[in-house]
């Protein structure tokens, strides 16, 4: 069974995992139970720190319980905690041990190009002070262009003329949902 992930994101006490298994895409919501490590009390811990100190594993029922524990005991002198609190990484380490072999042919890469009005200068990216005038989305050999003005597209390009920016952004969301990209890049 070949499996790899394309995204792992935390959502409250769940991890939202996307990836591929046996050539098929999956999306899963996982109740993740994290863990941390403390210095071993009896010197018989099966885990070691990078400095070769023996540690014992502490398991938690949820990510929020673990975070509450850390917050509650952060000022306790002499208490040392080891481990990651970005729990996505421990999940990836546990679920996909060793080298992860990605099948690039399965991964959906969306390229997006957004054009804006440039009258009076370039837009301010912090305030988004210019109207979006056209958007191009490309996944594999499928290209979709949305804009306000008549346009004759090249072969294999779908063009959707929109009334205004609101319709253009609504269509963007429609296509984004349909294309469901694993990776998004810009032009």
């Amino acid at each position: 069974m070949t499996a790899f992930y394309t995204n792992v994101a935390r959502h409250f006490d769940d991890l939202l995992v996307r990836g591929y298994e046996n050539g098929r895409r999956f999306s899963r919501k996982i109740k993740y139970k994290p863990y941390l490590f403390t210095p071993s009390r009896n010197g018989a811990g099966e885990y070691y720190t990078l400095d070769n100190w023996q540690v014992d594993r502490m398991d938690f029922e949820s990510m929020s319980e673990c975070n509450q524990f850390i917050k509650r005991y952060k000022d306790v002198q002499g208490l040392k905690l080891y481990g990651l609190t970005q729990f996505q990484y421990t999940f990836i380490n546990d679920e996909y041990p060793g080298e992860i072999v990605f099948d690039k042919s399965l991964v959906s890469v969306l390229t997006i190009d957004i054009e804006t009005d440039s009258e009076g200068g370039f837009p301010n990216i912090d305030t988004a002070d210019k109207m979006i005038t056209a958007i191009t989305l490309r996944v594999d050999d499928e290209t979709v262009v949305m804009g306000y003005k008549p346009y004759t597209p090249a072969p294999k390009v779908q063009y959707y003329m929109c009334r205004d920016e609101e319709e253009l952004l609504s269509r963007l969301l429609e296509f984004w949902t349909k294309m469901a990209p694993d990776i998004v890049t810009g032009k």
Side-chain angles (χ1 to χ4, degrees), residues 26-147:
F26 70 82
S27 293
R28 295 185 183 126
K29 184 176 177 180
I30 296 170
K31 288 269 183 224
Y32 184 63
K33 295 182 178 185
Y35 51 88
L36 295 172
F37 300 91
T38 59
S40 182
R41 292 192 181 126
N42 59 13
E46 67 177 287
Y47 301 100
Y48 291 86
T49 67
L50 294 174
D51 295 329
N52 211 30
W53 293 97
Q54 284 187 316
V55 289
D56 293 323
R57 180 171 158 158
M58 291 181 63
D59 292 295
F60 296 89
E61 287 299 310
S62 68
M63 292 181 278
S64 58
E65 179 191 21
C66 185
N67 286 334
Q68 289 167 3
F69 178 87
I70 292 167
K71 189 175 182 178
R72 190 174 350 164
Y73 292 101
K74 73 176 180 164
D75 295 325
V76 174
Q77 198 167 11
L79 177 65
K80 290 189 178 203
L81 295 175
Y82 301 94
L84 295 174
T85 56
Q86 291 179 299
F87 304 118
Q88 304 90 304
Y89 300 118
T90 53
F91 169 82
I92 291 168
N93 181 67
D94 295 343
E95 192 70 18
Y96 301 96
E99 182 179 350
I100 301 168
V101 179
F102 292 89
D103 182 346
K104 290 190 314 186
S105 71
L106 296 174
V107 178
S108 171
V109 179
L110 180 137
T111 303
I112 185 168
D113 184 20
I114 300 175
E115 302 298 330
T116 63
D117 177 41
S118 60
E119 191 172 315
F122 287 108
N124 180 319
I125 60 170
D126 294 324
T127 61
D129 61 338
K130 304 286 184 173
M131 183 169 60
I132 296 172
T133 57
I135 298 174
T136 301
L137 304 174
R138 180 174 293 123
V139 173
D140 299 322
D141 61 350
E142 182 179 3
T143 302
V144 174
V145 178
M146 298 158 277

Side-chain angles (χ1 to χ4, degrees), residues 173-186:
L173 292 176
E174 269 178 50
F175 284 107
W176 189 283
T177 302
K178 178 184 156 215
M179 293 173 164
D182 295 306
I183 297 172
V184 179
T185 186

Side-chain angles (χ1 to χ4, degrees), residues 137-176:
L137 304 174
R138 180 174 293 123
V139 173
D140 299 322
D141 61 350
E142 182 179 3
T143 302
V144 174
V145 178
M146 298 158 277
Y148 303 141
K149 297 182 180 179
Y151 170 70
T152 304
K156 294 187 176 186
V157 174
Q158 300 171 57
Y159 179 67
Y160 296 88
M161 191 164 142
C162 302
R163 286 184 313 278
D164 53 25
E165 187 179 42
E166 184 177 338
E167 182 184 350
L168 184 124
L169 294 173
S170 291
R171 285 204 182 248
L172 167 66
L173 292 176
E174 269 178 50
F175 284 107
W176 189 283

